Amino acid sequence: MEERVATVDGAAAGLRLDLFLARRFSSAGRSDGFSRAEVQRLISDGRVLVNGRRAKASARLKPNDTIRIQSLPLRDSSLLPENIPLDILYEDEHCIVVNKAAGMMVHPATGRFTGTLVNALLHHCPDLGGIGGERRPGIVHRLDKDTSGVMVVAKTQKAFRRLASQFKDRKVQKEYLALVWGKMPGDSGVIDRRIGRHRSDRKRMSSRHALAKSREAITQWQVEKLFAISAGSASINWVSLLRLKPKTGRTHQLRVHLADLGFPIVGDSIYGHKRKNREHGNLSGSMLETFPRQALHAEKLSFLHPGSERPLACSAPLPPDMRELLRTLCPCGE
């Protein structure tokens, strides 16, 4: 169990205990910090001592007060381990990097408590329970259910804090591959549009019709390949294979940015349905039109190893369904 000690200086005198801890030991900007939820639990569990005594969150601090903070013990997870095969790209005592399959939820949610990546990880890593939170042990970032690709998961509390800090500070480099409808306006570019909850559909995000509370979202894109597809009657449809580098990590960011720009991801049932309803001539019934998920794959993840702090880059090959889709677009194998 870790213990940390802090002495209150003149600038912090008069602050509430919970505010002092939030500022001094929060995970923001610190590889060894506490999350806000941990700070609250530390105080309520009596793991914060002021001058050797338990204190309330509202206690006002005085100059030279000595505060001792014990880290939280791991809580047993109520989630069930399941023997689900994992595609492991890298693993050591600090973290595990997996290639998440399309169709697999990352963690349990309402109505779904089994068959998730977390259930599989708890079987493979029995000591994972409780790290970073009982509901999402070890999870420092997520992929949508129907997005495949690279994910890193923390195996210790220290690794969790260090990885979470890197994601928060935008030090993690992420690269995706996506097939989108249309021909992009150039070979590369940047989408810089804030994203928030859709005004009329709370289950969707939007960069065009968002509520006032939106957040910065930046996506770099580059065209890898362009496919011209005959749609009959001399009409041509275009499909582009893009390399995407999100600089922020907003919910559904890539799907929203591309759809709102007019280039929805192939197979995206939430953000791409308007495009799919357009006249596609003889594309009807093709694999492009019937692809059962968004054609989005997290190909590469680069970060500092949470133990050695050396650069680590992990890549995942395109899954079979996206490879087959590409073959139908380019049967010559180019």
Side-chain angles (χ1 to χ4, degrees), residues 14-117:
L15 287 177
R16 288 170 51 110
L17 175 60
D18 54 357
L19 180 57
F20 174 82
L21 290 179
R23 292 181 178 179
R24 184 70 175 271
F25 291 99
S26 74
S27 58
R30 295 172 58 94
S31 63
D32 61 344
F34 292 115
S35 68
R36 289 184 180 180
E38 285 178 312
V39 166
Q40 294 170 357
R41 281 178 54 196
L42 286 167
I43 296 173
S44 62
D45 289 356
R47 295 183 176 276
V48 177
L49 302 179
V50 178
N51 300 324
R53 296 182 179 180
R54 293 180 58 168
K56 296 181 179 180
S58 59
R60 296 288 176 175
L61 299 177
K62 301 175 182 178
N64 300 317
D65 277 348
T66 299
I67 302 175
R68 295 183 180 275
I69 308 101
Q70 295 178 333
S71 64
L72 292 167
L74 298 182
R75 291 186 173 182
D76 291 335
S77 173
S78 60
L79 302 174
L80 294 176
E82 293 183 72
N83 188 10
I84 302 172
L86 290 171
D87 183 359
I88 299 172
L89 303 173
Y90 175 88
E91 183 178 13
D92 61 19
E93 67 271 25
H94 302 282
C95 64
I96 179 172
V97 183
V98 300
N99 179 15
K100 187 190 83 68
M104 174 180 275
M105 291 179 59
V106 171
H107 56 75
T110 303
R112 181 69 179 270
F113 300 99
T114 60
T116 72
L117 178 62

Side-chain angles (χ1 to χ4, degrees), residues 55-230:
K56 296 181 179 180
S58 59
R60 296 288 176 175
L61 299 177
K62 301 175 182 178
N64 300 317
D65 277 348
T66 299
I67 302 175
R68 295 183 180 275
I69 308 101
Q70 295 178 333
S71 64
L72 292 167
L74 298 182
R75 291 186 173 182
D76 291 335
S77 173
S78 60
L79 302 174
L80 294 176
E82 293 183 72
N83 188 10
I84 302 172
L86 290 171
D87 183 359
I88 299 172
L89 303 173
Y90 175 88
E91 183 178 13
D92 61 19
E93 67 271 25
H94 302 282
C95 64
I96 179 172
V97 183
V98 300
N99 179 15
K100 187 190 83 68
M104 174 180 275
M105 291 179 59
V106 171
H107 56 75
T110 303
R112 181 69 179 270
F113 300 99
T114 60
T116 72
L117 178 62
V118 163
N119 295 111
L121 287 167
L122 288 171
H123 180 273
H124 182 78
C125 312
D127 297 330
L128 194 67
I131 294 174
E134 181 180 354
R135 263 289 188 236
R136 306 170 184 177
I139 302 299
V140 293
H141 69 123
R142 289 175 287 175
L143 294 176
D144 294 338
K145 174 187 173 183
D146 289 328
T147 298
S148 56
V150 186
M151 281 190 61
V152 59
V153 177
K155 294 176 69 174
T156 69
Q157 199 72 18
K158 184 176 182 180
F160 180 88
R161 289 194 292 264
R162 287 187 168 182
L163 288 170
S165 178
Q166 289 185 58
F167 276 95
K168 182 178 180 64
D169 296 338
R170 303 182 185 178
K171 294 179 179 179
V172 178
Q173 297 178 17
K174 298 166 281 186
E175 295 187 25
Y176 291 72
L177 290 174
L179 274 166
V180 305
W181 291 106
K183 185 177 182 179
M184 302 295 289
D187 295 328
S188 62
V190 177
I191 306 172
D192 187 350
R193 299 175 69 162
R194 299 177 69 86
I195 288 177
R197 289 287 173 188
H198 196 284
R199 295 174 193 168
S200 58
D201 187 347
R202 297 288 293 169
K203 294 183 179 180
R204 298 177 62 193
M205 309 298 289
S206 178
S207 66
R208 298 179 60 193
H209 307 291
L211 296 171
K213 187 178 181 180
S214 59
R215 303 177 72 184
E216 180 187 32
I218 302 172
T219 302
Q220 291 184 352
W221 59 267
Q222 177 180 323
V223 178
E224 296 280 296
K225 275 188 178 181
L226 181 63
F227 305 95
I229 304 168
S230 172

